[in-house]
Amino acid sequence: MSETSNLNIAVVGGGPGGYAAAFLAADLGMSVTLIDPELNPGGVCLYRGCIPSKALLHVAKLVEEAEQAKNWGVDFAQPKIDLSRLRSWKEGVVKKLTGGLGQLSKQRKVQYVQGMAAFENSTTLRVTKNGGGEDSLTFDKIIIATGSRPAAVPTLKLDSPRMMDSTGALNLEDIPGSLLVVGGGYIGLELGSVYAALGTRVTVVEMLPGLLPGADRDLVAPLHKRLEKMLEAILLNTTVSSVKAEGDGIRVTFEGANVKEREKVFDRVLVSVGRKPNSEIPGLDKTQVKVGPKGFIQVNKQLQTDDSAIFAIGDVVGEPMLAHKASHEGRVAVEAIAGHKVAFEPNAIPAVVFTDPEVAWCGLTETQAEKEGREIKVAKFPWGASGRAVTLDRPEGMTKLLVDPQTERVLGVGIVGAGAGELIAEGVLAIEMAALARDVALSIHPHPTLSETIMESAEVFFGTSTHVYRPKRG
Ligand SMILES: Cc1cc2nc3c(=O)[nH]c(=O)nc-3n(C[C@H](O)[C@H](O)[C@H](O)COP(=O)(O)OP(=O)(O)OC[C@H]3O[C@@H](n4cnc5c(N)ncnc54)[C@H](O)[C@@H]3O)c2cc1C
């Protein structure tokens, strides 16, 4: 038995951070209590985030592909959407996965308590159970994994069922005739794409000059182009100054230098302007935990807070607010508690936008390199030269490698195109293994696959790509 087997730990919040931490702690022999208000573990990701959105995006992709099939001589009838069956399919996916986590939790003998936790002191939690009743429980260590919630904007506050956040949008109560998505980030674009595929006229409004702020512009361009065809309008450099309930809709007022139509009525409005960390945990002030100015709990590289008995992981400790970052942090925190020599210092946390085309990147981005004045070489492989992309009729994609000019080490990978979210995993491995561009170029990739675009972008770096001709200079 390891010395960790007599540790008694609590994990507050059962999302991908919390349940990953709880399960590893149990695997390492600790006695674990996992507290969350839902019936089973899963958190935002499984109940109202990653999973339901991807189930619906799968349907959206199918509808779009059926339309595109006309170009290939296959004419499908106009799809008929049975909303209640679509909803129950999505809910079935969530139930299957969260139920599975419940099972895994039982198999590992994790004590799952359905309720909300508050701090009495650094090691004692008061748990208010869903079914009623309170328990005061004391632990050796506590991991906070309380996640985040949609950010609210005062000018967009309106008590109307027509106003939605991402949770409301995923409920899919109806297919509105028109929808305004406020915020051109990944959540707004993913959910906007779902509604557009189901037949809604979708407008996206973004206050910055481009969609997906923070992502490299060359990765966003093909997505922007496709969305322009799919959506009613994309309004950039534009803000929403007011929303008012009016008859059967919401009257929205726009502001911005290029605004053509100052006011417009929409059937529904989806506000997706970011997320706020859930750090306002009752009683947290009775501990030494410090919360930063943006509301994130402050932690060190072992995910330990300023209170030595308390660790914190996931969305509540900072960006990027992504499920896989939360899970990895959860594992690091538990290993740190177990006394292993660990630190959370990844070189590449992948980001994926599951639109069509998908946009994915990891490691250094060109935007970041430019900001830091860092010298890099960029090698791009256009998917028009990829056999697989052409067979899929998706030649608009692009794969690029960001390479250190001195060492030829791969520092970053960016991909836009169908299935980019799956492909980026190779980039993560290349960066974490400190691969050189030569390693990537010399690894034989299966033909015909989109993965070849990663190998060929490395070949582009050396000017020897089979499918991209670059005339010799001089
Ligand atoms: C629409 C949408 C789509 C998304 N898509 C993706 C995606 O494709 N890929 C991706 O990586 N990320 C995605 N995300 C983000 C992802 O969901 C989060 O990054 C992830 O869930 C964070 O995990 P977490 O463990 O930190 O917390 P969460 O998943 O937020 O879970 C926290 C849990 O803690 C509970 N809790 C809070 N306070 C207490 C308390 N006091 N006591 C007990 N329990 C408490 C909450 O109820 C919740 O169940 C998406 C998010 C949204 C909204």
Side-chain angles (χ1 to χ4, degrees):
M1 273 282 171
S2 74
E3 69 280 15
T4 57
S5 59
N6 46 20
L7 276 180
N8 183 17
I9 79 156
V11 180
V12 181
Y19 77 73
F23 290 3
L24 179 63
D27 291 345
L28 294 181
M30 300 181 203
S31 164
V32 185
T33 302
L34 176 58
I35 306 149
D36 188 280
E38 298 285 352
L39 178 64
N40 281 306
V44 168
C45 178
L46 276 90
Y47 283 98
R48 45 192 178 277
C50 330
I51 295 298
S53 60
K54 265 80 253 179
L56 294 177
L57 278 158
H58 173 64
V59 175
K61 186 156 187 262
L62 198 73
V63 172
E64 289 294 313
E65 277 215 327
E67 177 68 24
Q68 200 181 354
K70 283 189 187 127
N71 301 340
W72 320 323
V74 183
D75 215 336
F76 289 103
Q78 199 59 21
K80 283 194 204 114
I81 314 280
D82 180 338
L83 203 55
S84 85
R85 277 177 69 188
L86 175 56
R87 225 183 280 126
S88 45
W89 176 71
K90 173 208 66 171
E91 278 153 21
V93 170
V94 170
K95 211 163 164 195
K96 199 177 281 174
L97 292 173
T98 52
L101 289 175
Q103 281 293 322
L104 287 169
S105 190
K106 283 196 189 95
Q107 285 164 345
R108 289 179 155 99
K109 305 207 167 26
V110 168
Q111 174 84 16
Y112 187 74
V113 183
Q114 213 184 334
M116 289 294 278
F119 281 88
E120 285 186 355
N121 58 48
S122 299
T123 51
T124 304
L125 293 174
R126 175 162 296 277
V127 181
T128 310
K129 294 195 215 162
N130 276 25
E134 278 189 350
D135 269 344
S136 185
L137 306 167
T138 298
F139 303 92
D140 297 310
K141 301 280 178 201
I142 295 171
I143 300 177
I144 300 174
T146 48
S148 65
R149 61 183 183 279
V153 179
T155 47
L156 299 175
K157 269 217 173 120
L158 179 66
D159 193 14
S160 159
R162 296 177 177 280
M163 294 292 291
M164 308 185 287
D165 59 17
S166 57
T167 309
L170 285 167
N171 287 342
L172 210 64
E173 271 170 33
D174 59 5
I175 302 175
S178 62
L179 169 71
L180 176 70
V181 176
V182 186
Y186 84 93
I187 293 178
L189 295 187
E190 288 186 5
L191 294 175
S193 300
V194 168
Y195 278 87
L198 297 179
T200 299
R201 281 171 280 111
V202 176
T203 298
V204 173
V205 55
E206 166 58 52
M207 66 177 192
L208 293 171
L211 296 175
L212 295 177
D216 284 349
R217 293 301 91 194
D218 55 353
L219 296 180
V220 179
L223 171 64
H224 190 116
K225 203 163 158 200
R226 196 165 164 107
L227 285 178
E228 267 181 337
K229 284 194 203 133
M230 210 179 146
L231 305 181
E232 180 87 350
I234 300 171
L235 311 174
L236 300 175
N237 293 309
T238 307
T239 54
V240 172
S241 55
S242 74
V243 285
K244 233 188 277 164
E246 180 182 295
D248 289 344
I250 305 277
R251 178 170 291 276
V252 178
T253 314
F254 297 109
E255 253 174 36
N258 310 322
V259 171
K260 288 196 188 97
E261 213 173 347
R262 243 184 71 78
E263 286 190 355
K264 200 166 174 187
V265 178
F266 294 89
D267 291 337
R268 280 185 180 269
V269 173
L270 161 61
V271 181
S272 52
V273 291
R275 296 186 62 82
K276 272 193 74 155
N278 289 329
S279 53
E280 305 93 342
I281 306 159
L284 197 63
D285 54 337
K286 296 175 190 156
T287 71
Q288 304 302 311
V289 172
K290 284 205 186 102
V291 177
K294 288 187 176 163
F296 293 115
I297 291 179
Q298 293 180 351
V299 288
N300 63 17
K301 282 189 178 175
Q302 283 70 39
L303 287 313
Q304 191 170 31
T305 67
D306 287 78
D307 191 316
S308 62
I310 303 174
F311 288 67
I313 57 171
D315 283 8
V316 79
V317 301
E319 302 281 0
M321 292 203 216
L322 293 170
H324 40 277
K325 188 216 72 161
S327 305
H328 193 82
E329 284 178 340
R331 297 179 68 89
V332 170
V334 168
E335 289 207 32
I337 290 171
H340 303 174
K341 197 166 180 291
V342 281
F344 182 79
E345 39 192 14
N347 288 314
I349 302 175
V352 180
V353 185
F354 290 86
T355 40
D356 187 19
E358 293 180 352
V359 183
W361 64 93
C362 65
L364 188 67
T365 63
E366 278 192 75
T367 315
Q368 213 180 322
E370 212 166 282
K371 221 188 255 174
E372 293 169 9
R374 194 161 169 185
E375 204 196 327
I376 48 160
K377 275 206 168 147
V378 182
K380 296 186 188 184
F381 183 80
W383 284 24
S386 151
R388 188 64 183 129
V390 175
T391 64
L392 296 169
D393 197 11
R394 299 306 301 266
E396 79 278 17
M398 187 267 289
T399 299
K400 66 174 177 181
L401 294 190
L402 278 64
V403 181
D404 184 312
Q406 265 82 49
T407 62
E408 299 191 345
R409 194 174 149 175
V410 179
L411 301 174
V413 179
I415 308 175
V416 53
E422 301 287 340
L423 295 172
I424 199 67
E426 181 177 346
V428 175
L429 194 65
I431 293 168
E432 290 292 359
M433 299 297 290
L436 304 182
R438 183 69 69 192
D439 297 320
V440 179
L442 288 178
S443 301
I444 300 174
H445 285 60
H447 179 72
T449 65
L450 297 170
S451 72
E452 288 170 294
T453 66
I454 300 174
M455 175 186 70
E456 290 226 31
S457 56
E459 290 173 353
V460 166
F461 176 75
F462 297 108
T464 57
S465 161
T466 307
H467 298 100
V468 173
Y469 176 63
R470 210 169 65 177
K472 287 209 167 42
R473 283 194 212 119

